[in-house]
Amino acid sequence: MSTPSSHPAPEPGDATWTGAARRLLERRLPLTHLLPSRQPFFVGSWVYVFGVVAITALIWVIGSGIVLAFFGPGWFHVSGVGRFVNSIHFWSVQLFFFFVVLHLWGQYFMASWRDGRATTWLVGVVIFVVGLVTGFTGYVSQQNLDAQWIAINAKDGINATGAGSFFNVLDFGQMYGIHVMLLPITVTMLVVLHVVQVRMRGVVKPIEPQAPGGRRNAPTDVA
Amino acid sequence: MDTPATYVQLGFLVISVPNLLVILGMVLVFLAALFAPFPAHHGIETDHDEHPE
Amino acid sequence: MRKPQADQETYYRGIPTVPYDLLKELALAFVASGIVIFVLALVMSSPEVPPLTIQTWAQQDPVDFVTTATSELAGTSFSAAYGPPYTDGSDSVQVLGPFAPQQWAGNAVHLDTAQDFVLGPLGTAAVGNPDLTSALSTYGAADDATKQSWLAAYTSALGTATTQSGEVVVPAGSYGPVPVLMANLIAVAHSGGLDELLLAGGHFFQTNYTKPLLFMGDGGYLAGLAADQHLLGSQWGMMNETGSYPGQAWLWLYSMWYQLPPYNTAPNADLLVVLTMLALTLVLAFVPHIPVLRDIPRWIPIHRLVWRDYYRWRRTRPSSETA
């Protein structure tokens, strides 16, 4: 029988799911990879900063969104402070998409999907799409002329897909609930997954000039 | 800010000045990020303790 | 199985490393983006054009209001003929060959525009109003052909209608009880009561604006306000915002298709645009696997700028050392 120990060395006899999960995490995502204090020296361009700025904008979006949700959807129409918090929400969303798109451009031109990183790219695209839907549900939750018109104008596109039968953009309660609960949680979890994916594999190496007879590390190497 | 924006027509493309500014801003920030020098690194290390420069 | 994921040491072998404080970078970026956001919020505030109410609509454009209400009563409005998910009509059902998801999804709302937008609210308003009670019972007792002839006559008379102290005046004609119904409906609307009645629908708590929004969408007044703000689909409205604010610029591509043939004239434009965007999104998601698209970054040497230090360093080293 094993004796209590603080040392997490793998035990050959440990067949528990918990132990297996711990060993998998320790192998695939050691803390030195999750929180590295050194990077390859080629990580030295402002292009690498776009993703981080997008994350900070998202933090501002969520922070201001929590305040808006706490006081309720009618608050910012009748309160100066509420209007200011709504303005922070509005501009942080603008900043978020601004830097998400720059991040996408940057990663595209760096072909960052190379060397086994295609799923990281895929999750990034999913974040963008879910972000669009989150923005959309927010726009129709504003309770102003913009929200009225966007709902009326957008319904036809959504109805054309059949989704209008369960996703009713004219139903403020449904849109607001999805906007303040379901989608922020989804975006946050996807961003966490995206960052973990990046940290698991590390940043991709630069594109190597094509050597004669060799295609090592070319952008096409996705596996 | 609550008066309707000015719109620019370029062929079939119609865009508001605020949207145009945002898109131009994105292009400018992207170019700036490409060309601006990144703060220099100190403490470069290799596996075999060799300095590249 | 792919190469061992945690083996970053092997992956980066031979490449020098530098200290890099990710969390400090995150903290600095948080402060910097916060400053930008606060300044923008303080200086520019945020879009806030008040919502249109049915009350305002009826006061500002009574003829448009009554024309819309009459079409709701006649069952000829945009919403009445819409089809799924609002009604059993088919005017706004979009199909692509045999692909008809809107039809398959079915009528979820079961909207009856005559009852929901006109007769129901008037029934509530008729309490203590003998003229209206009598008009409603006359209308209810008439056969469909009679109703349609009243409504058709009244609708064409509305083309020359004038407004006198908030009331819509049409030349004399055989409209049956319709003018009384409409005079009472606009009176309820003027008081703000119709906003409440369309929303309530027999429930105490309200969150669903399907009925008032569809009703206002059927009229021309709200669309006119939207056109003033460049919000119509034909104006790239999807990416525009009320006031002088940036809109959802990230929807530029989605918005663009609506301006171009064949989309801009297709009766199933929405479905075509959605399917096009779905296909393009899948292309974007799978760029790493698509020849040409995945090769463009190698051809356009933006990466040479991003990694200029690396390439300079590499040129100064024998290639064997980076292998």
Side-chain angles (χ1 to χ4, degrees):
Chain A
M1 294 299 285
S2 62
T3 51
S5 163
S6 61
H7 190 59
E11 302 161 44
D14 182 4
T16 60
W17 293 7
T18 315
R22 185 189 64 236
R23 286 193 296 277
L24 181 79
L25 273 178
E26 283 171 346
R27 194 172 72 249
R28 307 253 324 228
L29 187 64
L31 275 175
T32 49
H33 288 184
L34 183 65
L35 294 170
S37 45
R38 300 187 71 82
Q39 287 292 319
F41 82 106
F42 58 76
V43 184
S45 165
W46 289 102
V47 173
Y48 282 99
V49 178
F50 292 151
V52 173
V53 178
I55 289 175
T56 62
L58 180 64
I59 296 170
W60 283 109
V61 172
I62 292 174
S64 54
I66 288 171
V67 178
L68 288 174
F70 180 87
F71 288 98
W75 178 53
F76 82 84
H77 304 281
V78 295
S79 152
V81 178
R83 181 78 183 276
F84 179 66
V85 177
N86 182 66
S87 303
I88 290 175
H89 199 58
F90 174 83
W91 287 108
S92 51
V93 169
Q94 290 288 338
L95 204 70
F96 174 74
F97 279 106
F98 191 101
F99 280 97
V100 163
V101 173
L102 288 181
H103 177 62
L104 189 149
W105 292 352
Q107 300 310 309
Y108 178 75
F109 285 112
M110 291 152 80
S112 301
W113 52 76
R114 287 170 294 125
D115 304 333
R117 291 166 177 78
T119 52
T120 313
W121 172 271
L122 176 70
V123 170
V125 173
V126 173
I127 291 170
F128 186 52
V129 172
V130 177
L132 295 184
V133 182
T134 314
F136 171 75
T137 53
Y139 273 89
V140 294
S141 296
Q142 292 176 97
Q143 298 198 332
N144 56 22
L145 181 76
D146 199 32
Q148 287 178 312
W149 184 256
I150 291 174
I152 287 173
N153 215 26
K155 72 180 192 306
D156 303 322
I158 289 158
N159 292 339
T161 67
S165 65
F166 56 87
F167 184 83
N168 181 2
V169 296
L170 307 176
D171 185 339
F172 166 79
Q174 186 185 12
M175 293 302 112
Y176 186 69
I178 290 172
H179 178 70
V180 301
M181 195 279 281
L182 188 62
L183 291 174
I185 290 175
T186 308
V187 170
T188 305
M189 290 196 315
L190 286 169
V191 168
V192 168
L193 172 64
H194 192 63
V195 170
V196 164
Q197 285 179 306
V198 172
R199 295 277 35 105
M200 264 169 57
R201 294 174 179 85
V203 290
V204 75
K205 285 200 284 194
I207 297 172
E208 291 296 339
Q210 254 185 310
R215 289 169 48 79
R216 192 179 61 79
N217 201 23
T220 46
D221 295 344
V222 296
Chain B
M1 286 296 286
D2 281 335
T3 50
T6 311
Y7 283 78
V8 182
Q9 175 122 28
L10 308 156
F12 79 104
L13 200 148
V14 181
I15 188 163
S16 73
V17 170
N19 275 346
L20 193 61
L21 290 177
V22 167
I23 292 168
L24 288 178
M26 286 166 67
V27 173
L28 285 178
V29 171
F30 192 71
L31 289 176
L34 284 180
F35 289 101
F38 198 70
H41 295 306
H42 302 286
I44 289 190
E45 280 176 19
T46 57
D47 294 353
H48 22 296
D49 238 355
E50 182 187 334
H51 287 255
E53 306 280 339
Chain C
M1 190 64 193
R2 291 171 175 174
K3 59 191 81 168
Q5 302 297 346
D7 201 1
Q8 293 188 17
E9 290 72 20
T10 311
Y11 184 68
Y12 294 128
R13 183 169 297 145
I15 296 177
T17 61
V18 290
Y20 200 109
D21 199 339
L22 286 171
L23 289 188
K24 189 175 172 188
E25 179 180 284
L26 184 76
L28 290 176
F30 179 72
V31 173
S33 61
I35 291 170
V36 171
I37 291 163
F38 268 71
V39 168
L40 287 167
L42 273 173
V43 175
M44 307 230 236
S45 190
S46 47
E48 177 73 324
V49 176
L52 176 66
T53 59
I54 291 172
Q55 182 180 28
T56 307
W57 174 26
Q59 287 167 350
Q60 297 297 318
D61 195 349
V63 175
D64 182 58
F65 172 84
V66 170
T67 305
T68 306
T70 306
S71 71
E72 305 292 5
L73 187 56
T76 56
S77 68
F78 182 72
S79 291
Y82 193 95
Y86 308 127
T87 69
D88 293 326
S90 59
D91 275 16
S92 297
V93 174
Q94 302 190 16
V95 299
L96 184 65
F99 182 63
Q102 187 172 359
Q103 199 69 59
W104 301 335
N107 179 357
V109 175
H110 298 289
L111 183 73
D112 176 347
T113 58
Q115 184 61 36
D116 292 339
F117 292 160
V118 181
L119 299 174
L122 285 178
T124 307
V127 176
N129 184 337
D131 288 349
L132 178 55
T133 307
S134 151
L136 277 171
S137 71
T138 307
Y139 187 83
D143 57 45
D144 280 348
T146 311
K147 284 179 189 169
Q148 287 305 327
S149 81
W150 289 336
L151 289 165
Y154 190 68
T155 302
S156 75
L158 281 169
T160 57
T162 54
T163 310
Q164 281 172 19
S165 57
E167 292 197 15
V168 174
V169 181
V170 294
S174 57
Y175 315 128
V178 173
V180 178
L181 299 182
M182 289 304 150
N184 278 279
L185 192 70
I186 201 168
V188 177
H190 278 164
S191 74
L194 194 55
D195 286 289
E196 314 292 329
L197 288 168
L198 287 186
L199 189 56
H203 307 288
F204 181 79
F205 291 103
Q206 311 303 334
T207 58
N208 186 347
Y209 290 76
T210 304
K211 287 175 187 172
L213 281 174
L214 285 176
F215 186 35
M216 287 199 284
D218 288 339
Y221 186 70
L222 178 60
L225 296 182
D228 292 344
Q229 299 275 359
H230 268 255
L231 300 181
L232 300 187
S234 55
Q235 298 171 309
W236 298 70
M238 198 182 284
M239 58 185 285
N240 294 336
E241 177 58 84
T242 55
S244 295
Y245 292 90
Q248 302 182 68
W250 48 90
L251 295 181
W252 68 272
L253 187 60
Y254 208 113
S255 204
M256 186 186 78
W257 299 117
Y258 285 97
Q259 325 302 324
L260 296 175
Y263 302 95
N264 58 354
T265 52
N268 57 349
D270 291 305
L271 184 58
L272 292 181
V273 172
V274 169
L275 291 176
T276 304
M277 288 305 290
L278 191 66
L280 290 176
T281 304
L282 288 175
V283 167
L284 181 66
F286 293 102
V287 154
H289 307 281
I290 300 173
V292 179
L293 286 182
R294 68 183 177 188
D295 299 319
I296 289 172
R298 194 153 38 87
W299 303 334
I300 300 180
I302 288 176
H303 62 272
R304 302 232 136 240
L305 286 167
V306 175
W307 291 314
R308 52 186 178 265
D309 291 347
Y310 174 81
Y311 296 118
R312 196 181 306 129
W313 167 77
R314 203 176 170 282
R315 274 199 302 277
T316 64
R317 289 170 64 87
S319 60
S320 60
E321 286 193 50
T322 59

